[in-house]
Amino acid sequence: MAKQVTIDVLTASACGRCQKSKALVQEVMAEFDDEHRQLIQYREINVVEEIDYAVQLGVLSTPAIALNGKLVFAAPPSKAKLRQAIQQRLGGK
C-alpha cells in the first residue's frame, strides 16, 4: 500500500540554487502518475521564517530537501536520486 510523502524544500530568499531545487522537485513530482501524485504533499519552507524547524532538521545551508520531516538532501540531488528517494517513501521500488 502506498504511503503519503511530504516534501519540504527549505529555501532562502534571493537563493538562485533554491529556485533550481524547487523546479527539480516539481519536475520529478510531475513524472509520477495521478494516484501517486495525490499522495505527495509539497511545501516550500523559508528558513528565516521557520528557523526552529530548519535547526531541528539540521539544515546548515540552502537549498535542502526534507522528506517526511527528515533531512535527506543537504544539497541539490540529481533527478534520479530524488525520484528514488520519493519512490521508496511511497512504498515503491
Side-chain angles (χ1 to χ4, degrees), residues 11-48:
T11 67
S13 49
C15 166
R17 289 185 345 150
C18 294
Q19 299 306 319
K20 290 180 182 166
S21 286
K22 290 190 266 190
L24 173 71
V25 171
Q26 296 287 348
E27 202 176 306
V28 170
M29 284 173 51
E31 294 176 358
F32 286 95
D33 61 34
D34 288 341
E35 181 183 336
H36 286 100
R37 227 182 354 254
Q38 290 176 13
L39 297 171
I40 299 171
Q41 179 184 5
Y42 171 81
R43 302 185 311 175
E44 291 176 16
I45 310 256
N46 183 315
V47 293
V48 174

Side-chain angles (χ1 to χ4, degrees), residues 1-3 5-7 13 25 31 35 42 51 55 66 74 81 90:
M1 167 124 186
K3 301 175 187 133
V5 177
T6 301
I7 303 171
S13 49
V25 171
E31 294 176 358
E35 181 183 336
Y42 171 81
I51 190 70
V55 168
K81 284 189 185 216
L90 284 171

Side-chain angles (χ1 to χ4, degrees), residues 4-11 21-22 24-25 29 39-47 50 52-77 81-82 85-87 89:
Q4 285 207 299
V5 177
T6 301
I7 303 171
D8 293 334
V9 180
L10 292 105
T11 67
S21 286
K22 290 190 266 190
L24 173 71
V25 171
M29 284 173 51
L39 297 171
I40 299 171
Q41 179 184 5
Y42 171 81
R43 302 185 311 175
E44 291 176 16
I45 310 256
N46 183 315
V47 293
E50 306 256 355
D52 291 341
Y53 182 58
V55 168
Q56 175 188 333
L57 289 174
V59 173
L60 299 176
S61 65
T62 58
I65 299 173
L67 300 175
N68 293 342
K70 290 192 172 39
L71 181 63
V72 178
F73 299 106
K81 284 189 185 216
L82 178 60
I86 294 168
Q87 277 179 325
R89 283 154 185 83

